[in-house]
Amino acid sequence: QSASFAHDADGGQHIAYYDATFRQLKVPHRPDPDSPWAIQTVTTTPLTGQYCSLAVGARQSVAGDATVTAGANQAVILRGVVVSPLLIGGRFQAGPSTTTYGITDVNADAGRITLDASFTGSSGASVLCTVAFYQPVIGYQEGNSRRLLRVARPRARGRQRLSVGEK
């Protein structure tokens, strides 16, 4: 079994590891050493991910629609962006405003993100928004197969899993 660690360009910390207790491949991250870890499960297939490697590339930006309220420190994502722990430490911008807010927490079930400051723009039921975040890429072995390697990119548009060497 193995674990892999990487820093992003802003000093955020990312880890990929196999949780032997629950038999899951997980990717915790935090935007800085003083923040709590946000953990995302990559796969729950037994024995998958015991040997993994992690890389973190450039910050990714995804456009979508959100409901925002002036003076509130939360926004509800309506479409275009999947709310997941991956967004914590990312950046949020909505409407014509150029103000960017840090994302400090998420409620994936409600599609809600918590911002580091109160929203100063105009309230809106469906405004264009942009979410920027770091996307980890995890390479791992599938189950007991020594020949089947996979690459996963957990991201804010759902999890994408690619197979290496398959057609």
Side-chain angles (χ1 to χ4, degrees):
Q1 295 176 352
S2 64
S4 185
F5 177 85
H7 282 279
D8 60 43
D10 293 334
Q13 300 172 337
H14 305 259
I15 299 173
Y17 75 95
Y18 180 74
D19 181 337
T21 302
F22 296 102
R23 300 170 63 150
Q24 298 174 339
L25 176 59
K26 295 185 177 182
V27 181
H29 82 280
R30 59 186 179 183
D32 59 70
D34 297 327
S35 297
W37 291 100
I39 301 173
Q40 186 170 7
T41 300
V42 177
T43 181
T44 58
T45 304
L47 302 176
T48 295
Q50 292 184 81
Y51 305 97
C52 58
S53 181
L54 170 81
V56 178
R59 187 182 292 268
Q60 306 291 311
S61 291
V62 178
D65 293 307
T67 297
V68 292
T69 304
N73 72 332
Q74 294 186 335
V76 177
I77 304 297
L78 302 174
R79 61 188 147 269
V81 180
V82 174
V83 176
S84 77
L86 184 62
L87 300 181
I88 295 174
R91 304 283 179 238
F92 174 82
Q93 184 178 354
S97 171
T98 58
T99 304
T100 302
Y101 302 89
I103 299 172
T104 59
D105 199 11
V106 298
N107 180 328
D109 294 334
R112 186 172 38 248
I113 60 174
T114 302
L115 308 176
D116 63 356
S118 296
F119 186 70
T120 58
S122 300
S123 297
S126 180
V127 298
L128 181 63
C129 70
T130 303
V131 175
F133 60 96
Y134 286 99
Q135 175 183 323
V137 179
I138 303 101
Y140 60 95
Q141 180 179 320
E142 178 77 28
N144 285 327
S145 172
R146 292 182 182 262
R147 291 181 279 164
L148 185 56
L149 301 177
R150 296 207 182 266
V151 177
R153 293 182 177 98
R155 57 187 180 168
R157 279 194 175 276
R159 179 175 60 92
Q160 176 185 12
R161 188 175 82 171
L162 307 172
S163 296
V164 177
E166 289 187 338
K167 294 185 179 189

